[in-house]
């Protein structure tokens, strides 16, 4: 091509499959909104816990099963109980307390002289900090303390042991999304390599490889998963492999079908004639040409993995405390619905909305990559 | 057709054999045993238990014994529920699971088909969008979310139904499990039905029927629906097998004494005979319903012949 001819050709340059698909995907509003939502969800889960002001393992004994609220705790009606609880350990009686903005003043009394270091007991409570003694009665049997209220916000409320549900939901989201992506990736990798090899080599190799897939298909799916969990123990990292290792069967079948067609294409025959090794052909020609359906299937696989992981966690076979996943939180929420329904509702919203977004994105990708199948 | 069915049942035996063999050895490869988990179990007691259940024999002997007993219809004793045989457990639990599953399946097939047909007839209109939205929601929201939400809304807030329990099979106790089981199936059936009905409505034979001046109802029910229902029929086979053998989530959330939990519990407790029993029961259901589907196919679509 001469330099002068280049601009002419560029004007009518064909769009590649991927550019074309990208254009169609951008035109699909549901898919774009879903993609943006998923990115925001992932960012919120990865970075959100840094900004909630709580660690996902921090236990606030004063705030067990606190309902969700925008206001900062402790509420006036909670101070009384928190004071009584903190001072009971100091073996003194609060006789009166007043609130001045963010501080409280409390007068305590006892039958024995009170140690002025008593403020420590208030500091230890999750409701107060910076306690100081303002005045001591001459007989030493009563004194007045001033302490700052330790402000806590629990937008999603707290769980059974007094941990912030918002932080826990976000951290759980990390686990669920990471498992979804990684197990999806494991399943796709195994499935693509296996299916491409079976389809490309064909004949007896194909026959043997696909009969193996059929055998695995015929076993009850949940049995396979449970056996894997039993083998591997309840190990968080191995869960990825277990789940991924079970879900590759569909992928292998899809890719095999593609590979069977691709191996009869002229460019594959040309590569064979040029003496390219079978693995070179697989890697350079067969696998790249199966990636369209693979991309579609992967987006539909990720929600399946997330559901499966949640299901296993729901049964108590998945992620273990103190880590959690959306499935774990939903299972705990389901046990607490009479007294604390927010424990069920918030994780359910997170899980369900993510699944919806993944489905819409998957549908969008399918329409974009395979316009025949509308 | 009868000889075809018999032939299919005979060829099911090797399939069943392969499934049983793989499951048997796969399960035995897992570490631990039915009596190795109880803490503080006296070694002599464990030895005696192992001898009683012949777990001390070589694996291949146990395997052959199991196959022999199975051939005589003996599923063996349950290790973790020593008062029951596996057959007892299924005799008690299976009717419960089958009853709920059958109700859910019927509901799903009727409602799903109806919704799918209506959506196809009103394609790209509000009714269609409503059905599609419902179908997306039904197939996306997992059962373990729907079930507790149902309890929260209908049992705890509105107090229309009991929260959980079987209640001796009272109708109000069954509503929740059946609806929760049916929802995802309704969604999938509606989706399948809508897609195939849209295709059927544009096909030549339906156009011909219309041109002959047949009424809308006749065209839809007798001509379009008959062909369009085939994908639903082939989906219904595996779905029926799955529904009738119980659901872990639904049965544990609603405290239903069915067989759904057996699999998980038995595998975790290494209750070998109960695991094997569950595998066999599920496999038989799958094989039988796939056969039923193939036979139904021939009834519905005369082009399909089983000679």
């Amino acid at each position: 091509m001469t330099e002068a001819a280049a601009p002419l050709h560029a004007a009518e340059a064909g769009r590649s499959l991927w550019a074309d698909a990208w254009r169609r995907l951008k035109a699909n509003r549901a898919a774009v909104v879903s993609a943006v939502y998923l990115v925001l969800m992932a960012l919120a889960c990865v970075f959100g816990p840094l900004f909630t002001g709580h660690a996902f393992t921090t236990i606030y004994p004063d705030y067990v099963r606190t309902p969700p609220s925008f206001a900062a705790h402790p509420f006036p009606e909670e101070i009384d109980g928190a004071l009584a609880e903190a001072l009971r350990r100091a073996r003194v009686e609060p006789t009166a307390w007043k609130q001045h903005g963010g501080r409280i003043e409390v007068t305590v009394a006892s039958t024995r002289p009170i140690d002025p270091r008593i403020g420590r007991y208030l500091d230890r409570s999750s409701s107060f900090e910076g306690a100081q003694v303002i005045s001591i009665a001459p007989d030493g049997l009563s004194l007045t303390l001033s302490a700052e209220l330790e402000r806590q916000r629990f937008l999603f409320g707290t769980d059974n042991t007094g941990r912030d549900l918002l932080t826990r939901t976000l951290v759980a989201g990390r686990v669920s999304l990471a498992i979804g992506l990684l197990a999806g990736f494991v399943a796709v990798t195994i499935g693509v390599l296996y299916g491409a090899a079976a389809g490309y080599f064909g004949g007896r190799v194909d026959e043997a490889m696909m009969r193996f897939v059929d055998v695995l298909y015929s076993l009850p799916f949940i049995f396979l998963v449970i056996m894997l969990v039993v083998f591997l123990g309840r190990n968080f990292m191995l869960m990825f492999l277990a789940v991924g290792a079970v879900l590759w069967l569909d992928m292998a079948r899809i890719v095999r079908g593609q590979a069977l067609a691709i191996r009869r294409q002229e460019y594959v025959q040309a590569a064979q004639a040029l003496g390219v090794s079978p693995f070179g052909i697989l890697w350079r020609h067969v696998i790249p040409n199966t990636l369209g359906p693979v991309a579609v299937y992967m987006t539909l696989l990720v929600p399946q993995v997330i559901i499966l992981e949640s299901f296993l966690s729901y049964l108590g076979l998945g992620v273990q405390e103190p880590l959690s996943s959306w499935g774990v939180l939903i299972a705990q929420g389901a046990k607490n619905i009479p007294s604390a329904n927010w424990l069920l509702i918030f994780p359910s919203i997170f899980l369900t909305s993510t699944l919806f977004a993944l489905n819409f994105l998957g549908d969008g990708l399918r329409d974009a990559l395979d316009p025949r199948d509308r | 057709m009868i000889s075809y069915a018999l032939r299919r049942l005979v060829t099911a035996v090797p399939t069943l054999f392969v499934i049983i063999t793989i499951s048997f050895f796969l399960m035995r490869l897992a570490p631990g045993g039915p009596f190795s988990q109880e803490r503080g179990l006296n070694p002599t007691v464990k030895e005696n238990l192992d001898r009683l259940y012949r777990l001390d024999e070589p694996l291949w002997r146990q395997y052959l014994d199991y196959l022999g007993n199975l051939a005589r219809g003996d599923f063996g004793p349950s290790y973790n529920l020593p008062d029951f045989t596996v057959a007892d457990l299924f005799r008690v639990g299976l009717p419960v699971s089958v009853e709920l599953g059958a109700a859910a399946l019927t509901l799903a097939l009727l409602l799903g088909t109806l919704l799918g047909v209506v959506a196809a007839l009103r394609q790209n209109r509000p009714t269609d969008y409503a059905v599609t939205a419902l179908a997306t929601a039904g197939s996306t929201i997992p059962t373990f979310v729907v079930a507790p939400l149902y309890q929260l809304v209908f049992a705890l807030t509105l107090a229309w139904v009991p929260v959980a329990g079987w209640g001796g099979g009272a109708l109000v106790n069954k509503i929740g499990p059946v609806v929760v089981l049916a929802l995802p199936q309704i969604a999938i059936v509606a989706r399948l039905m809508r897609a195939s009905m849209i295709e059927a409505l544009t096909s030549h034979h339906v156009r011909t029927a219309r041109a002959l001046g047949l009424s809308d109802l006749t065209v839809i029910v007798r001509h379009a629906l008959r062909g369009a229902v085939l994908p639903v029929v082939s989906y219904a086979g595996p779905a029926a097998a799955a529904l009738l053998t119980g659901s872990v989530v639904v049965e544990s959330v609603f405290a239903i004494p069915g067989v759904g939990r057996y699999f998980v519990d038995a595998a975790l407790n290494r209750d070998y005979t109960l695991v094997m029993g569950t595998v066999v029961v599920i496999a038989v259901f799958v094989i039988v319903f796939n056969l039923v589907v193939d036979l139904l196919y021939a009834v519905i679509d005369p082009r399909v012949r089983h000679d």
Side-chain angles (χ1 to χ4, degrees):
Chain A
M1 195 188 292
T2 63
E3 279 185 21
L8 272 179
H9 279 276
E12 60 193 65
R15 291 182 299 259
S16 76
L17 171 77
W18 295 99
D20 221 23
W22 176 240
R23 195 177 47 80
R24 273 195 293 264
L25 186 65
K26 276 196 297 189
N28 184 333
R29 205 179 304 155
V32 172
V33 170
S34 299
V36 171
Y37 181 82
L38 288 172
V39 170
L40 290 180
M41 175 62 84
L43 288 176
C45 290
V46 173
F47 298 109
L50 303 175
F51 303 107
T52 55
H54 307 281
F56 72 101
T57 46
T58 308
I59 292 171
Y60 299 98
D62 287 352
Y63 303 116
V64 171
R65 282 197 238 178
T66 311
S69 158
F70 286 113
H73 292 274
F75 297 157
E77 66 270 21
E78 287 168 343
I79 295 175
D80 211 36
L83 271 178
E85 174 68 25
L87 294 173
R88 189 172 52 79
R89 300 203 177 154
R91 291 162 207 273
V92 294
E93 287 287 325
T95 49
W97 62 271
K98 280 181 301 206
Q99 186 176 355
H100 306 289
R103 295 191 76 83
I104 57 153
E105 259 179 50
V106 55
T107 310
V108 299
S110 172
T111 50
R112 284 177 295 171
I114 302 173
D115 190 322
R117 290 172 297 181
I118 188 172
R120 300 266 172 84
Y121 283 98
L122 279 186
D123 288 347
R124 243 177 249 166
S125 156
S126 50
S127 303
F128 312 104
E129 60 191 349
Q132 295 160 342
V133 177
I134 303 176
S135 64
I136 307 181
D139 58 0
L141 294 182
S142 91
L143 53 71
T144 306
L145 287 157
S146 163
E148 209 159 317
L149 289 175
E150 206 174 322
R151 292 295 188 179
Q152 309 283 1
R153 270 175 220 278
F154 302 108
L155 297 183
F156 285 10
T158 60
D159 70 2
N160 269 346
T161 41
R163 294 174 294 190
D164 178 42
L165 185 64
L166 172 61
T167 316
R168 286 189 71 72
T169 308
L170 293 175
V171 171
R174 287 183 191 169
V175 174
S176 287
L177 292 175
I179 290 189
L181 281 179
L182 279 174
F185 187 73
V186 169
V188 166
T189 309
I190 300 177
V192 168
L193 293 178
Y194 196 93
Y200 176 71
F201 292 115
R204 287 218 185 112
V205 178
D206 177 38
E207 187 71 17
M209 287 175 87
M210 293 324 281
R211 282 303 79 72
F212 179 65
V213 169
D214 287 345
V215 166
L216 288 184
Y217 251 116
S218 68
L219 289 174
F221 173 72
I222 186 70
F223 175 62
L224 222 50
V225 175
I226 292 173
M227 279 342 281
L228 279 168
V229 173
V230 165
F231 270 118
L232 301 173
R234 294 172 186 185
N235 183 317
F236 171 65
M237 280 310 284
L238 291 175
M239 279 279 302
F240 294 138
L241 295 174
V243 171
V246 172
L247 289 170
W248 60 275
L249 300 174
D250 289 320
M251 193 78 252
R253 281 198 170 169
I254 294 169
V255 173
R256 170 189 172 262
Q258 297 273 316
L260 276 177
I262 289 169
R263 74 183 184 127
R264 305 208 187 287
Q265 301 283 326
E266 284 87 351
Y267 56 83
V268 172
Q269 288 169 352
Q272 283 167 339
L274 285 170
V276 182
S277 74
F279 291 99
I281 293 176
L282 264 183
W283 189 248
R284 187 74 193 86
H285 297 289
V286 178
I287 290 178
N289 281 300
T290 60
L291 288 186
V294 168
V296 173
Y297 190 73
M298 170 118 184
T299 45
L300 298 175
L301 192 65
V302 171
Q304 274 186 50
V305 175
I306 293 179
I307 290 182
L308 179 62
E309 181 277 321
S310 302
F311 172 67
L312 287 176
S313 296
Y314 183 90
L315 296 177
L317 301 175
V319 181
Q320 304 291 306
E321 287 281 344
L323 265 187
S324 61
S325 73
W326 286 331
V328 175
L329 292 182
I330 289 170
Q332 288 168 353
K335 287 182 195 126
N336 286 296
I337 38 174
S339 56
N341 56 36
W342 59 91
L343 290 177
L344 171 67
I345 290 171
F346 287 110
S348 298
I349 291 173
F350 272 65
L351 173 68
T352 314
S353 61
T354 303
L355 294 176
F356 270 115
L358 281 166
N359 272 339
F360 287 132
L361 183 62
D363 285 348
L365 269 180
R366 187 177 56 209
D367 290 348
L369 283 166
D370 188 6
R372 282 165 307 163
D373 188 36
R374 274 188 213 229
Chain B
M1 194 139 106
I2 293 170
S3 76
Y4 169 78
L6 284 176
R7 217 166 345 117
R8 279 282 300 268
L9 284 178
V10 171
T11 54
V13 173
T15 315
L16 207 53
F17 174 75
V18 170
I19 293 174
I20 291 170
T21 307
I22 294 175
S23 308
F24 187 91
F25 288 103
L26 192 63
M27 190 179 49
R28 289 308 180 88
L29 279 173
F35 307 115
S36 62
Q37 291 174 328
E38 288 170 50
R39 244 163 260 171
L41 193 63
N42 188 318
T44 327
V45 176
K46 184 181 175 302
E47 232 166 74
N48 285 335
L49 276 171
D50 279 349
R51 191 167 322 123
L52 173 68
Y53 290 117
R54 303 170 73 170
L55 291 170
D56 54 344
E57 288 181 25
L59 199 51
W60 62 269
R61 278 289 297 266
Q62 294 183 43
Y63 170 66
L64 292 182
D65 279 352
Y66 184 77
L67 281 185
N69 289 338
L70 200 59
R72 271 177 266 120
D74 179 7
F75 285 89
S78 164
Y79 297 138
N80 283 89
L81 302 161
D83 291 339
F84 298 92
T85 66
V86 172
D88 284 338
L89 289 173
F90 277 102
R91 210 169 295 133
V92 176
L94 201 55
V96 174
S97 292
V98 166
E99 188 186 340
L100 291 181
L105 184 70
T106 315
L107 184 66
L109 289 178
L110 291 179
L111 205 58
T113 310
L114 186 69
L115 287 174
V117 170
V118 169
L121 292 175
R122 301 258 180 285
Q123 203 191 343
N124 295 331
R125 276 189 262 173
T127 323
D128 181 24
Y129 294 139
V131 171
T132 312
L134 190 79
T136 311
S139 54
T140 306
I141 307 175
T143 309
F144 56 83
V145 174
V146 179
L149 282 180
Y150 168 89
Q151 290 178 323
L152 177 61
V153 175
F154 293 101
L156 291 165
T157 311
L158 298 171
W160 289 349
V161 292
V163 178
W166 181 234
L171 184 65
V172 279
N173 293 60
K174 289 181 201 156
I175 298 171
V178 169
V179 169
V180 171
L181 274 175
L183 267 182
Q185 310 298 334
I186 294 174
I188 296 170
V189 171
R191 225 183 232 186
L192 285 173
M193 198 63 224
R194 175 183 176 273
S196 63
M197 194 69 186
I198 286 173
E199 207 179 309
L201 287 174
T202 57
S203 67
H204 292 299
H205 71 275
V206 170
R207 209 194 309 161
T208 310
R210 282 245 162 85
L212 285 171
L214 299 179
S215 74
D216 269 359
L217 195 70
T218 319
V219 172
I220 291 162
V221 174
R222 291 219 35 180
H223 298 279
L225 191 61
R226 185 163 179 170
V229 85
L230 287 175
V232 173
V233 170
S234 49
Y235 171 75
L243 280 174
L244 298 181
T245 48
S247 147
V248 190
V249 173
V250 170
E251 290 185 4
S252 56
V253 169
F254 289 105
I256 303 288
V259 294
R261 269 214 77 89
Y262 287 179
F263 217 160
V264 179
D265 287 346
L268 291 180
N269 293 327
R270 312 289 189 282
D271 194 341
Y272 297 143
T273 42
L274 187 51
V275 172
M276 291 310 296
T278 316
V279 169
V280 172
V281 168
I282 291 178
V284 167
F285 269 80
V286 170
I287 289 168
V288 167
F289 278 99
N290 279 331
L291 174 60
V292 171
V293 162
D294 286 346
L295 296 180
L296 268 181
Y297 245 79
V299 174
I300 297 170
D301 186 348
R303 288 169 300 183
V304 179
R305 289 253 170 75
H306 299 307
D307 300 317

